[in-house]
Amino acid sequence: MSDMGGDAANGLLPPTPGQTVGPFFGFAMPYERSNELVEPGTPGAVRLHGIVRDGAGDPVPDALVEIWQADPAGAVVARSGSILRDGTFTGWGRAETNREGGYWFRTLSPGATEPGRAPFFAVTVFARGLQDRLFTRAYLPAGPETSEADPLEGHPLGADPLGADPLLASLEPERRATLVTAREPDGSLRFDIRMQGEGETVFLRYDHAPADQVSTDQVSTDQVSTDQVPAAGRDGAGA
């Protein structure tokens, strides 16, 4: 253990608890129904779920997963009320993984935010062994959502928006597959997250400015640096 008094005397800040032991995800960050972005029975509601695995392929039972998304019309939601869960759709949610590494959200399918672009969930992962959260995307799979015009008359989608997306187009097929959700027989969307190793999820780095725009630079979990600039949070949404 370091000499706190000595550090202070030398003008150095002592390490915080988060830099020494943890994680503390189970304290303060979770709150009731944080994974339910919409109420049960909401028209168009979809279940987004998956398993977080570590480099050995084992489930991570103490991770946190956040999603940020546009609404079905492709509008980026800039509405407060994420913590209140009062029926207001804010496009943000947070889920803890269970003992099997599983997480789930009840939400709406996002629409394309730009003409011809593929709809996606922005995903943030907090997990042990990381000094900073990780960012990635979960795209909707090929199908009605990504091959036809948006049912809510948002931005029209091209014939192959997944193929036209600049980020996905920059990846090898095997790596690209780690960013696309799978449609389950029950209609839900499955998005498994692999922190390292074979099948590692493609993680992303944010540009320094503006802070709310993600670059197409890929980053591996063993390359994550503390100079990442996360998007601004709201309502305690990961800020």
Side-chain angles (χ1 to χ4, degrees):
M1 180 177 292
S2 63
D3 183 348
M4 301 294 184
D7 286 343
N10 294 325
L12 301 176
L13 294 175
T16 66
Q19 292 173 299
T20 55
V21 293
F24 297 107
F25 302 143
F27 175 73
M29 293 186 75
Y31 62 92
E32 188 176 3
R33 301 182 64 207
S34 58
N35 61 329
E36 300 178 53
L37 282 71
V38 294
E39 298 293 333
T42 300
V46 65
R47 186 170 184 266
L48 172 68
H49 63 102
I51 295 176
V52 180
R53 297 184 184 278
D54 63 17
D58 296 326
V60 180
D62 52 3
L64 279 180
V65 179
E66 292 182 350
I67 59 171
W68 307 67
Q69 65 167 101
D71 68 16
V76 176
V77 184
R79 203 172 291 137
S80 62
S82 291
I83 294 179
L84 299 178
R85 285 293 179 267
D86 60 355
T88 301
F89 181 75
T90 67
W92 177 84
R94 175 184 289 159
E96 298 175 83
T97 56
N98 58 25
R99 295 180 63 180
E100 289 75 42
Y103 73 90
W104 68 273
F105 295 94
R106 184 191 307 115
T107 185
L108 301 173
S109 294
T113 57
E114 297 180 50
R117 293 296 180 89
F120 64 88
F121 302 93
V123 179
T124 303
V125 183
F126 299 77
R128 51 185 153 88
L130 300 175
Q131 291 186 329
D132 203 352
R133 51 190 166 175
L134 297 175
F135 304 92
T136 187
R137 289 181 177 182
Y139 284 86
L140 296 185
E145 299 96 335
T146 52
S147 61
E148 300 176 355
D150 187 284
L152 296 182
E153 299 181 351
H155 291 301
L157 302 176
D160 183 18
L162 289 177
D165 185 90
L167 171 59
L168 294 179
S170 70
L171 302 172
E172 295 295 328
E174 184 176 341
R175 300 288 287 150
R176 167 179 167 169
T178 70
L179 298 183
V180 182
T181 59
R183 181 70 70 183
E184 299 277 68
D186 63 359
S188 64
L189 295 169
R190 184 180 184 96
F191 185 67
D192 292 334
I193 300 170
R194 180 69 181 264
M195 305 299 292
Q196 285 181 314
E198 184 178 356
E200 178 185 305
T201 300
V202 173
F203 295 104
L204 307 170
R205 189 192 312 277
Y206 274 87
D207 289 333
H208 286 240
D212 60 349
Q213 293 184 1
V214 68
S215 75
T216 57
D217 292 340
Q218 301 164 54
V219 57
S220 172
T221 49
D222 57 5
Q223 295 175 309
V224 174
S225 62
T226 55
D227 62 353
Q228 294 179 57
V229 180
R234 61 179 183 277
D235 280 346

